[in-house]
Amino acid sequence: MGEQPYGTWPSPVDAALAACLDGRPEYLGTIGPEVWWTEPRPAEGGRRTLVRRPADGGPGVSVLPAPWNVRSAFTEYGGMPWAGAERPGSGPLVVFVHHADQRLYAYEPDADEPAPRPLTPLSPVGGGLRWVDPVLRGDEVWCVLEEFTGPAPTDVRRVLAAVPLDGSAAGDRSRVRELTDDRHRFATGPRLSPDGRYAAWLVWDHPRMPWDGTEVLLAEVRADGTLAGARTLLGGPEEAVAQVDWMPDGSLLAVSDRSGWWNPYRVDPDTGGAVNLCPREEEFGGPLWKPGLRWLAPLPDGLVAVLHGRGSPVLGVLDPETGDLVDAAGPWTAWQPALAVHGSSVYGVAASPRSAHEVVELDTESGHARVVGAAAADPVDPAYHPEPQTRTFLGPDDREIHAHVYPPHHPARRAPAEELPPYAVWAHGGPTEHVSPVLDLHIAYFTSRGIGVVEVNYGGSTGYGRAYRERLREQWGVVDVEDCAAVARALAAEGTADPDRLAIRGGSAGGWTAAASLASTSLYACAAIRYPVLDLRGFAEETHDLESRYVEGLAGPPQTLAVRCRERSPVARADRITAPFLLLQGLDDAVCPPAQAERLLSALRGRGVPHAYLAFEGEGHGFRRADTMVRALEAELSLYAQVFGFDRPDVPRLHLETG
């Protein structure tokens, strides 16, 4: 094994490979015996295609060529963008949202001349129509309609709506039937009972986020297709219901955190009485960032497929009568909330430290699980893949902090015995979110070159119960910063990381944590800050409607926001930032607009802090295009090389400005 300093190791995991294999399958569904899902195409402008796996078990095939892009922009984050059903004698009918114009389209892939046809009108000038979480019902598609009514991001209303499948609404907005009024600010799509007589859906209102408190509404579906007698069945301001669905017997299933953990409940639709089907200090749900996420899926025989666990969820099958829970066999250690069922088969998206996200089928009768859909094969020898260590650290007041440590790893290189490796602390976005230890070539890009990575599920993360995620209430910029620093210091103290070569990196809310860390501590030698929140007051005024009052729970009520902004915002504390940093921003970002980044650069002007600012046209919140991801990864590596003191002639040198 050759000896070479950390950071200089050669690696076959280049930025182009990491970029082209970025993303994962999402939004699974079944149409009869076929399983369908959306899949990323970073090399095709970052679009998402719709993939169909035929009933004969053949490989999944993209059914929509470029430029079709199956993605909703609902609340900027999207949600379930398609629905489908079997049509006897004519093959499947699929309804989907095309990202470019946000219209609903109908598509019959087995028709003689298949071509998507629009179902909804083009958005009017000065307004906008968006659709999400559809379900087919008779000659209509029911879904959530988001309609912008003015120029501000918060000038918006949301209702359940019925769109005719005959295309008559494509040129006539009045043909869209509104099934509810807009008294509730946010809603998921309706879930129809097996007999079609009832609809259930989730709602919530400002200032709550969906993990703070939601309500299950239940309404009767009349013969004329209208909804009547909508009433609250479950939930409230301090009970977050993450999902609702129907059992074959007509009872309701709900995932509620009323016990302090998201657990599955059977709910009586007449009385609202709820019985916990599997009382455990585990999470059977998660943060409802997008409508259409599914942590549980009822099976026809009365069993329920569930995702559950602490930290990373795994797939199990629950018997609601006995509470028995049997986990699926296989190597997968983390599953996405994208469950779908057909007959005795359960489909999901899963990954492990050795495998990226792939579509998996579980036969609940035999217990056999297998991969039925995967992204392009990774050509790299698995010996270059990182080997994560899931650990728990102690922070201030001896509070537990969960993290995944990825040491530098290479099959043919080692560093000199006296050298300690540089490490990058990764703060995830959200911040009400979590990360799992699964194969990620963006991490492998660094670890295979001799740079360690530690992903921190700081206080406020999901996966560990309501109390753990409530640690961040009014403490954003404090608890997250302290927890990341505590993990970094612990790695340095035990001799795992070089204390003089620590970086911090994050995107979105993680970008806030990275920038706030530079303004709070001298622990880090540099930072990579991606599409961040940098100014609390500006964020509350400029961001999209969904998160426009998120800061009230994260930092405090409006009357204290000015003070908290001065105390915590990187823009207000820019005079404390001295470490070099890389700032990456999408110019089409409606969640963390470029104005956030521009304010920080303005506050630092003339202070001599080395930095680079890379802005990308056509990118929104989170990078999707392969060329953008390549530039971002190589720039980050160059930053580390310059700050940590090693040479990387294989990537363009990042110019760090000081003016």
Side-chain angles (χ1 to χ4, degrees):
M1 181 176 288
E3 189 173 280
Q4 203 168 328
Y6 288 117
T8 68
W9 299 347
S11 172
V13 186
D14 62 19
L17 177 65
C20 76
L21 295 181
D22 184 71
R24 59 176 178 248
E26 288 185 314
Y27 303 118
L28 271 66
T30 56
I31 302 178
E34 299 180 348
V35 58
W36 294 56
W37 64 88
T38 71
E39 197 169 272
R41 293 290 187 266
E44 298 177 18
R47 78 179 185 101
R48 293 194 72 89
T49 189
L50 191 60
V51 175
R52 173 188 190 183
R53 180 177 180 269
D56 63 10
V61 177
S62 173
V63 298
L64 290 168
W68 292 107
N69 187 356
V70 184
R71 180 162 68 94
S72 172
F74 184 84
T75 72
E76 305 302 333
Y77 288 140
M80 185 67 175
W82 72 275
E86 287 185 298
R87 293 286 171 140
S90 59
L93 170 68
V94 177
V95 172
F96 69 91
V97 179
H98 178 44
H99 188 261
D101 58 17
Q102 287 301 295
R103 300 174 85 179
L104 272 175
Y105 287 80
Y107 180 53
E108 297 177 78
D110 295 344
D112 293 336
E113 297 182 6
R117 54 183 177 83
L119 298 180
T120 54
L122 285 167
S123 294
V125 176
L129 303 173
R130 297 173 177 178
W131 317 84
V132 78
D133 209 7
V135 60
L136 292 171
R137 179 186 180 273
D139 57 2
E140 294 178 320
V141 54
W142 287 17
C143 56
V144 189
L145 163 62
E146 178 178 70
E147 182 172 25
F148 286 86
T149 58
T154 53
D155 294 337
V156 62
R157 61 191 293 268
R158 298 178 184 89
V159 297
L160 299 190
V163 177
L165 288 170
D166 62 9
S168 58
D172 185 358
R173 165 69 173 83
S174 67
R175 294 284 294 168
V176 176
R177 292 194 305 117
E178 296 191 2
L179 300 170
T180 64
D181 57 29
D182 58 2
R183 73 181 66 184
H184 293 291
R185 193 68 172 190
F186 303 99
T188 65
R191 301 294 177 260
L192 299 175
S193 61
D195 59 11
R197 295 174 54 205
Y198 297 95
W201 66 100
L202 300 180
V203 296
W204 68 97
D205 295 285
H206 284 315
R208 286 177 282 158
M209 296 299 284
W211 42 86
D212 296 325
T214 59
E215 299 170 32
V216 177
L217 295 190
L218 181 70
E220 180 185 354
V221 180
R222 291 173 170 159
D224 62 358
T226 59
L227 298 180
R231 57 190 172 91
T232 298
L233 195 66
L234 192 71
E238 297 182 359
E239 180 182 358
V241 180
Q243 183 188 339
V244 64
D245 214 326
W246 293 90
M247 291 287 287
D249 65 1
S251 60
L252 272 169
L253 277 178
V255 180
S256 166
D257 72 345
R258 58 171 49 187
S259 70
W261 297 82
W262 272 305
N263 278 188
Y265 289 79
R266 187 196 296 271
V267 183
D268 187 317
D270 294 322
T271 66
V275 177
N276 193 333
L277 299 177
C278 193
R280 294 189 181 190
E281 291 190 346
E282 293 183 5
E283 301 282 46
F284 289 73
L288 186 63
W289 279 104
K290 300 179 285 190
L293 302 182
R294 297 190 79 192
W295 291 269
L296 57 77
L299 288 149
D301 60 4
L303 300 177
V304 182
V306 297
L307 301 182
H308 72 103
R310 284 196 179 205
S312 301
V314 297
L315 175 64
V317 177
L318 173 67
D319 185 336
E321 301 303 323
T322 65
D324 292 340
L325 178 58
V326 179
D327 288 341
W332 306 281
T333 56
W335 293 70
Q336 293 297 309
L339 295 182
V341 300
H342 174 71
S344 61
S345 294
V346 178
Y347 300 93
V349 177
S352 77
R354 296 290 184 182
S355 59
H357 289 93
E358 50 200 3
V359 180
V360 178
E361 177 190 51
L362 170 67
D363 184 330
T364 58
E365 293 182 346
S366 68
H368 177 68
R370 59 173 180 156
V371 176
V372 297
D378 177 0
V380 173
D381 184 339
Y384 289 92
H385 293 165
E387 297 181 351
Q389 305 163 1
T390 297
R391 298 181 55 184
T392 301
F393 297 87
L394 291 180
D397 303 321
D398 289 333
R399 63 176 183 244
E400 289 188 345
I401 307 166
H402 303 284
H404 310 300
V405 180
Y406 297 81
H409 183 75
H410 197 291
R413 291 293 188 277
R414 65 184 176 193
E418 68 278 6
E419 185 184 4
L420 291 175
Y423 259 80
V425 177
W426 285 23
H428 63 69
T432 312
E433 192 50 274
H434 83 287
V435 287
S436 298
V438 299
L439 179 60
D440 181 345
L441 291 187
H442 290 250
I443 293 177
Y445 180 78
F446 295 104
T447 58
S448 63
R449 287 166 169 77
I451 302 169
V453 171
V454 56
E455 292 189 299
V456 182
N457 281 317
Y458 48 81
S461 302
T462 57
Y464 308 99
R466 183 158 188 146
Y468 193 86
R469 72 177 188 269
E470 290 283 348
R471 287 185 190 176
L472 206 58
R473 184 161 295 279
E474 299 193 15
Q475 295 298 309
W476 198 31
V478 179
V479 166
D480 50 325
V481 170
E482 291 177 346
D483 285 3
C484 287
V487 171
R489 289 192 178 100
L491 292 177
E494 70 187 25
T496 297
D498 185 340
D500 296 322
R501 296 194 293 174
L502 296 172
I504 186 164
R505 184 238 222 202
S508 188
W512 157 272
T513 301
S517 296
L518 290 193
S520 303
T521 175
S522 59
L523 177 65
Y524 304 105
C526 61
I529 304 167
R530 304 158 64 90
Y531 36 88
V533 178
L534 296 169
D535 170 20
L536 283 175
R537 294 179 69 184
F539 178 74
E541 295 167 358
E542 298 162 350
T543 192
H544 60 152
D545 185 52
L546 176 66
E547 295 181 85
S548 61
R549 298 184 67 179
Y550 194 8
V551 293
E552 294 182 27
L554 293 173
Q559 57 268 31
T560 67
L561 191 57
V563 174
R564 297 287 167 81
C565 188
R566 290 194 299 270
E567 294 173 344
R568 302 178 193 173
S569 289
V571 167
R573 293 161 58 86
D575 61 317
R576 298 169 181 256
I577 297 176
T578 58
F581 65 87
L582 167 64
L583 181 56
L584 302 163
Q585 179 67 49
L587 292 178
D588 293 345
D589 194 336
V591 178
C592 296
Q596 293 274 310
E598 292 161 4
R599 284 194 200 102
L600 179 63
L601 297 174
S602 178
L604 285 168
R605 189 169 294 124
R607 295 197 55 249
V609 178
H611 68 276
Y613 177 49
L614 301 182
F616 300 97
E617 292 185 1
E619 291 283 12
H621 195 65
F623 300 149
R624 295 177 178 273
R625 298 180 176 180
D627 55 348
T628 302
M629 289 184 271
V630 169
R631 181 73 179 104
L633 277 173
E634 292 183 343
E636 187 175 350
L637 179 59
S638 180
L639 171 72
Y640 296 158
Q642 294 179 57
V643 173
F644 294 155
F646 55 81
D647 190 29
R648 291 302 318 194
D650 54 332
V651 298
R653 182 177 176 83
L654 179 69
H655 175 64
L656 296 174
E657 300 181 11
T658 56

